[in-house]
Amino acid sequence: MRCRSSTCAGGVGRMGGAGARDAGAGARRRSAIIDIGSNSVRLVVFDGHARIPAVLFNEKVLAGLGRSLAQTGAIEPAAMDLALTALTRFRGLCDAMGIASPRAVATAAVRDANNGAALIDRVEQLGFTVELLPGEQEATAAALGVASGIPDADGIVGDLGGGSLELVRLKRGVVDARASFPLGVLRVGAMREAGQRAFARAVSRQLATAEWLDDARGLPFYLVGGSWRALARFDMHLSGHPLRILQQYRMQPETAARMVRVLAHIGRSTLKSVPALPSGRVATLGTAAAMLAALVRHLSPSDLVVSAFGLREGLLYQHLSVAEQAQDPLILACRDEGERDGRFAEHGDLLDRWIAPLFGDETPANARIRHAACLLADVGWRANPEFKAERALEIGLHGNWVAIEPRERVMLGQALYSSFGGSGTLSGFERLCDAGDLHRALRWGLAIRLGQRFSGAAAAPLRSSRVVVVDGALALEMEADTRIFYGEAVARRHRQLAAVLGVEVRLP
């Protein structure tokens, strides 16, 4: 079955062109989502561009609404009281932030508990209108969250919560088949007591009811949910990964079984000392690893890809217009950052067009990252003069970007670092980005540096000039009244860029 309605964001599979301007109005909106989950109750307030809103506020309480479902079929009173206390605070925060109608959704624990309706009644007394999401709708929203941050995602999305596991076939960003299983980390404790092999067989028996999974073996598996994000953080810690960014972090399938073995011999106190590993996830980390290992055994995925986006982002994404969904979230976010922190609006797009003739042999994927670097080319100008390059590097490497692979993050960081005068190529990222890609990004950075110095980050000099390689020489061609912008400082950067391009310099 294919999901092609506006609710399920169906006809959207591929991003718009890298140079596309805001589709629709691209309105900036402030909104909030209350996620009443089986493990946690969370408020997230979003602000900014509709296609890629920034998180203005994010708070969760691990209420554990689904903890007692397997034993009693009900939400225990203490968990309900904890959730209601948190939701009372969230209501007040929304009011204080001027958000009149936050969207409140409840998932598996409330859906399955025999006292779930009683909880909804009490929540609605606080002024919320609660949507009880059916399992397939929950699965769809999680998959659309992945598509929002990885627009061409093609594989199986797995959203592991406290009360359920949702699996969705995502075909290049389009939702296809989906299923929900009562296999959340708070519900499968008894199944694990028989050992990992028996547990994996029990999971496989349930998965066998979704026959469409048979045709999805060997594809990437996209991990959604706090338990699996925590597992990825632990793997980063063990492997010494040089870039601690969860979005699009990749693990080999065999990592899941290795994690089961490692976690069997590590105490909770040791896990709680792991940097950035949420202490509230430690108790379920072993179960999350066991579930992932069982899925790997059943599905034989090509690799495991972490998505920081899930249900909440999917709920936002599914209400965008088709034109808004088609926007490239990386380019849009970089343009927004550049216009907010740069000196002149739209300078980045103009700069990219100016340097593009020097890199005509590039793949569309590399050209897209070069465009992102140009959009961010002015973001470090407010920094301390001694640390502008470091500031630019930090933005490139650790910015809150999506739709960008770790290799591309390093290239973006290198380009910005070089554009602000950083020396040489970055070290410590050899696992993610080879020397050829780093040198390519360095050339981007020096081309940006030339354009910035020549134009003073203003538009007019760039519009009336061009930089090209002609007969083995780097030439800066310009109209007569633009020649006044070519001074000694520009000539130095002209020579520097020619050197890294391996060509001669042709002076104006």
Side-chain angles (χ1 to χ4, degrees), residues 7 19 27 52 70 76 90 103 116 129 142 172 186-187 268 280 292-293 296 346 364 375 395 400 406 416 420-421 433:
T7 301
I52 187 72
E76 60 187 19
F90 294 166
R103 186 176 182 185
T129 298
R172 296 189 69 77
L186 299 180
R187 299 177 84 166
R268 290 190 181 185
L292 185 57
V296 166
E346 298 189 25
L375 292 168
I395 291 172
N400 193 22
L416 294 175
F420 279 94
C433 190

Side-chain angles (χ1 to χ4, degrees), residues 228-455:
W228 277 339
R229 287 195 299 270
L231 194 67
R233 287 193 185 279
F234 185 51
D235 184 61
M236 285 181 172
H237 172 73
L238 292 179
S239 65
H241 195 266
L243 189 58
R244 303 298 176 92
I245 302 290
L246 283 174
Q247 176 69 12
Q248 290 171 253
Y249 175 66
R250 292 177 182 266
M251 298 181 287
Q252 293 301 307
E254 56 268 22
T255 301
R258 178 169 56 84
M259 284 291 184
V260 173
R261 295 191 297 270
V262 169
L263 288 167
H265 297 92
I266 295 181
R268 290 190 181 185
S269 59
T270 301
L271 288 174
K272 288 182 177 180
S273 68
V274 174
L277 185 63
S279 59
R281 299 290 182 183
V282 166
T284 58
L285 205 59
T287 302
M291 181 60 67
L292 185 57
L295 287 162
V296 166
R297 183 175 181 267
H298 187 86
L299 298 171
S300 302
S302 59
D303 54 352
L304 309 174
V305 186
V306 177
S307 172
F309 282 14
L311 173 75
R312 293 174 293 276
E313 291 78 13
L315 292 173
L316 295 177
Y317 181 78
Q318 67 185 184
H319 288 294
L320 298 179
S321 69
V322 171
E324 286 175 319
Q325 289 174 353
Q327 292 175 294
D328 184 331
L330 174 66
I331 296 302
L332 192 63
C334 290
R335 181 178 291 120
D336 189 57
E337 183 92 0
E339 291 180 353
R340 185 173 61 250
D341 292 343
R343 289 168 285 184
F344 301 96
E346 298 189 25
H347 176 71
D349 291 302
L350 182 59
L351 182 60
D352 181 58
R353 292 193 292 272
W354 194 77
I355 71 171
L358 301 177
F359 307 103
D361 62 340
E362 288 187 334
T363 64
N366 280 342
R368 175 174 174 265
I369 301 305
R370 188 192 70 227
H371 186 191
C374 289
L375 292 168
L376 295 171
D378 216 24
V379 295
W381 74 274
R382 296 178 188 270
N384 184 300
E386 302 297 326
F387 295 97
K388 286 184 177 182
E390 288 77 6
R391 169 65 175 152
L393 173 61
E394 169 69 15
I395 291 172
L397 281 178
H398 301 127
N400 193 22
W401 319 124
V402 296
I404 183 170
E405 294 286 347
R407 162 189 162 272
E408 295 172 326
R409 277 185 179 270
V410 177
M411 293 180 73
L412 181 59
Q414 174 71 70
L416 294 175
Y417 179 70
S418 299
S419 73
F420 279 94
S423 177
T425 55
L426 303 176
S427 61
F429 297 99
E430 292 79 11
R431 290 167 53 181
L432 306 179
C433 190
D434 64 30
D437 284 335
L438 286 175
H439 281 285
R440 178 181 297 276
L442 182 149
R443 292 192 289 271
W444 295 344
L446 293 182
I448 292 170
R449 189 167 171 81
L450 171 61
Q452 294 286 74
R453 175 57 62 185
F454 172 67
S455 67

Side-chain angles (χ1 to χ4, degrees), residues 128-172:
F128 296 114
T129 298
V130 179
E131 301 172 53
L132 185 60
L133 298 181
E136 286 203 350
Q137 190 174 342
E138 183 180 351
T140 296
L144 291 176
V146 173
S148 174
I150 312 174
D152 284 340
D154 192 348
I156 298 177
V157 173
D159 182 6
L160 181 63
S164 63
L165 167 70
E166 277 68 49
L167 296 179
V168 183
R169 177 67 172 98
L170 197 60
K171 294 184 176 181
R172 296 189 69 77

Side-chain angles (χ1 to χ4, degrees), residues 44-55:
V44 184
V45 179
F46 298 94
D47 186 72
H49 202 286
R51 175 61 181 87
I52 187 72
V55 174

Side-chain angles (χ1 to χ4, degrees), residues 487-501:
E488 181 182 353
V490 177
R492 285 199 305 271
R493 295 188 182 180
H494 188 174
R495 288 191 291 269
Q496 185 183 27
L497 176 59
V500 299
L501 293 176

Side-chain angles (χ1 to χ4, degrees), residues 5-230:
S5 69
S6 60
T7 301
C8 295
V12 175
R14 300 190 63 83
M15 297 177 288
R21 298 298 298 172
D22 296 354
R28 304 182 72 87
R29 310 167 187 169
R30 179 171 294 188
S31 60
I33 291 180
I34 308 286
D35 181 0
I36 306 171
S38 302
N39 198 21
S40 65
V41 176
R42 186 187 294 264
L43 164 66
V44 184
V45 179
F46 298 94
D47 186 72
H49 202 286
R51 175 61 181 87
I52 187 72
V55 174
L56 186 68
F57 182 84
N58 187 343
E59 182 173 301
K60 74 173 184 292
V61 174
L62 294 172
L65 294 176
R67 188 176 296 115
S68 59
L69 282 184
Q71 293 76 36
T72 68
I75 299 169
E76 60 187 19
M80 189 177 293
D81 289 344
L82 185 57
L84 287 166
T85 299
L87 290 164
T88 301
R89 168 174 160 77
F90 294 166
R91 177 74 263 180
L93 287 170
C94 288
D95 291 344
M97 295 180 188
I99 304 169
S101 302
R103 186 176 182 185
V105 299
T107 55
V110 182
R111 187 169 65 233
D112 297 342
N114 56 33
N115 59 346
L119 174 61
I120 290 177
D121 287 343
R122 295 181 66 182
V123 174
E124 292 194 335
Q125 290 173 18
L126 299 174
F128 296 114
T129 298
V130 179
E131 301 172 53
L132 185 60
L133 298 181
E136 286 203 350
Q137 190 174 342
E138 183 180 351
T140 296
L144 291 176
V146 173
S148 174
I150 312 174
D152 284 340
D154 192 348
I156 298 177
V157 173
D159 182 6
L160 181 63
S164 63
L165 167 70
E166 277 68 49
L167 296 179
V168 183
R169 177 67 172 98
L170 197 60
K171 294 184 176 181
R172 296 189 69 77
V174 176
V175 172
D176 195 70
R178 52 208 159 150
S180 181
F181 304 91
L183 294 172
V185 292
L186 299 180
R187 299 177 84 166
V188 297
M191 292 171 61
R192 286 198 67 205
E193 292 175 0
Q196 180 62 26
R197 290 186 179 180
F199 175 70
R201 288 194 296 270
V203 170
S204 286
R205 283 194 294 272
Q206 293 208 37
L207 299 182
T209 62
E211 296 181 358
W212 57 267
L213 287 173
D214 293 338
D215 297 325
R217 289 188 169 90
L219 297 172
F221 188 79
Y222 297 91
L223 282 69
V224 176
S227 295
W228 277 339
R229 287 195 299 270

